[in-house]
Amino acid sequence: MLTGRRFVKVACEDAKIAPMDEMRAREVLTAAGFSAAAELLALGENAVFAAGDLVIKVGRDATGHPELRARAEREVALADWLAASGVPAVRAAEREPRLVEGHPVTLWHRLPDAVRPAEPRDLAPLLTLVHALPAPTAFTLPRRELLGGVERWLTLAGDAIDPADADYLRERRDGFAAAAASLVPHLPPGPIHGDALPRNVHVGPDGPVLVDLETFSADLREHDLVVLALSRDRYGLAPAAYDAFTTAYGWDVREWEGCAVLRGARETASCAWVSQHAPANPKALAEFRRRVASLREDDPEVRWYPF
C-alpha cells in the first residue's frame, strides 16, 4: 500500500543506467495495461503513478542491468515478509514484479489519505518491530553501504568542485569505512529500514505505516537510529522531537561509543551526494562547500540545508 503522494527518490546505483523520463514511463504503463493518463505521483529513480486503488511503480530499463529487476523482486518480497511478520508497511498488490518492455513494474495497494504529518515518535514503534525481526529466510538482504556511492558522486561532480575537497572526502570515506568495519554494536545486528526518517512513515486512520522499502538492509541496527541523531544536529530537527523518538524507542544511540563513526560516515556520504548536483546547480555547489568546510573545521553544529 503506497501513499498517493509520497515516494522516496533514490539515487541510481549505476550512473550508466538510463534516466527515467515521463514519456517513456507512460509508454511502459500503457504496455502494462494501464491508462497512460494515470496521475504521476513522483519521478525519480522510478516513475510512480496512481490508478484508482493502485499505485504503479515503473522502474528503469533493466536490460543489461539485472540488479534492477532483482531489487524490484526483493522489494515485493519484503512487503510480503513484513506483512507476515505483523509490521505495518506498504503492501504489494501483486506477488511478483512484471517485466514490461525491459522495465520492472510493481503494483501496490494505495494507502488512505494521511490524517496528519508523521513525526519522529511515529517512527520509533515501527523500528522497534523491524529491529526485533530475524533475517528473512526466503531472500537475502544486502548490507547498508552508506559510502558506496561516494566515488560515483564525486566523479559526476567533476571539475565543478575543488579537487582538494574531493580528495578530502575520499580520505574520510576510507577512514570511516575501516572504522565502521570494526564497530562493536550495542544492538543485535539484523534487518533495518536503512532510511529511517519521518518522511518514510505514513500516518493513516489506522496509525503509522512504513513506506519506501528500497533501502531495507541487514546490518547494524544503529544505522536506523543515527539518521535522526544527525537530523537533530545538522538538519534542524527539534531536540524535543528527537527526545520523543528516543523515549518511544527506549534508547538514545548517542550513548553508544560507535555513534560518531556511523555519523561521520553518513555525513561524508551526504556531503558527496550533494557534489553531483554542483555542475548544474549553483545552490548545490554553495551547500557542498558549506558542508565540506564544516567537516574540515570539525564543527558538528553547522546547519546543513536542502538546495
Side-chain angles (χ1 to χ4, degrees):
M1 297 179 290
L2 294 180
T3 175
R5 291 291 178 186
R6 301 172 62 253
F7 214 93
V8 165
K9 298 179 181 179
V10 181
C12 184
E13 290 302 320
D14 186 340
K16 297 180 181 179
I17 297 173
M20 174 68 70
D21 62 66
E22 183 176 351
M23 180 180 296
R24 178 56 183 155
R26 289 192 182 278
E27 291 173 352
V28 175
L29 192 69
T30 301
F34 298 96
S35 171
E39 180 187 3
L40 179 67
L41 304 176
L43 183 63
E45 171 71 358
N46 310 282
V48 185
F49 297 92
D53 294 332
L54 293 176
V55 166
I56 304 146
K57 179 178 169 184
V58 179
R60 299 187 186 209
D61 190 349
T63 304
H65 297 282
E67 70 277 9
L68 295 182
R69 183 174 184 179
R71 185 174 64 188
E73 292 171 347
R74 185 172 62 243
E75 190 176 5
V76 171
L78 266 165
D80 286 345
W81 175 65
L82 291 173
S85 302
V87 178
V90 292
R91 305 301 188 213
E94 289 187 353
R95 302 292 295 276
E96 297 287 341
R98 304 182 187 184
L99 192 64
V100 181
E101 298 185 354
H103 294 255
V105 175
T106 53
L107 273 60
W108 305 84
H109 295 292
R110 193 172 183 176
L111 290 170
D113 291 340
V115 298
R116 60 173 174 81
E119 301 175 18
R121 61 183 173 88
D122 298 312
L123 179 60
L126 295 172
L127 291 183
T128 299
L129 291 173
V130 170
H131 292 178
L133 295 176
T137 57
F139 57 93
T140 301
L141 290 172
R143 297 290 301 274
R144 183 67 175 112
E145 297 292 349
L146 274 181
L147 298 165
V150 169
E151 187 61 38
R152 177 168 54 83
W153 298 326
L154 295 176
T155 299
L156 290 172
D159 295 337
I161 64 173
D162 188 333
D165 287 340
D167 289 343
Y168 171 71
L169 290 177
R170 290 185 178 103
E171 183 179 351
R172 279 182 60 96
R173 173 201 60 197
D174 295 345
F176 281 114
S182 61
L183 285 175
V184 178
H186 173 79
L187 302 171
I192 59 174
H193 181 276
D195 193 27
L197 287 165
R199 72 185 181 202
N200 291 328
V201 175
H202 179 85
V203 183
D206 296 325
V209 174
L210 269 181
V211 301
D212 300 324
L213 308 180
E214 293 163 313
T215 54
F216 249 84
S217 313
D219 215 311
L220 304 185
R221 260 60 187 257
E222 287 83 357
H223 276 292
D224 274 346
L225 307 179
V226 167
V227 179
L228 277 185
L230 185 58
S231 295
R232 179 190 185 279
D233 297 337
R234 287 293 195 198
Y235 299 106
L237 177 65
Y242 179 77
D243 292 344
F245 168 78
T246 58
T247 297
Y249 186 83
W251 182 58
D252 187 342
V253 71
R254 295 178 302 168
E255 300 172 2
W256 175 54
E257 61 182 8
C259 181
V261 173
L262 291 191
R263 174 191 160 123
R266 196 166 194 93
E267 285 177 318
T268 303
S270 296
C271 192
W273 181 86
V274 174
S275 74
Q276 68 182 314
H277 300 281
N281 188 332
K283 291 183 177 179
L285 177 58
E287 178 62 18
F288 172 76
R289 289 171 174 167
R290 277 175 44 79
R291 295 188 183 194
V292 171
S294 69
L295 296 180
R296 286 185 180 277
E297 295 165 8
D298 194 24
D299 188 344
E301 297 183 1
V302 172
R303 178 82 179 273
W304 290 3
Y305 297 96
F307 51 89

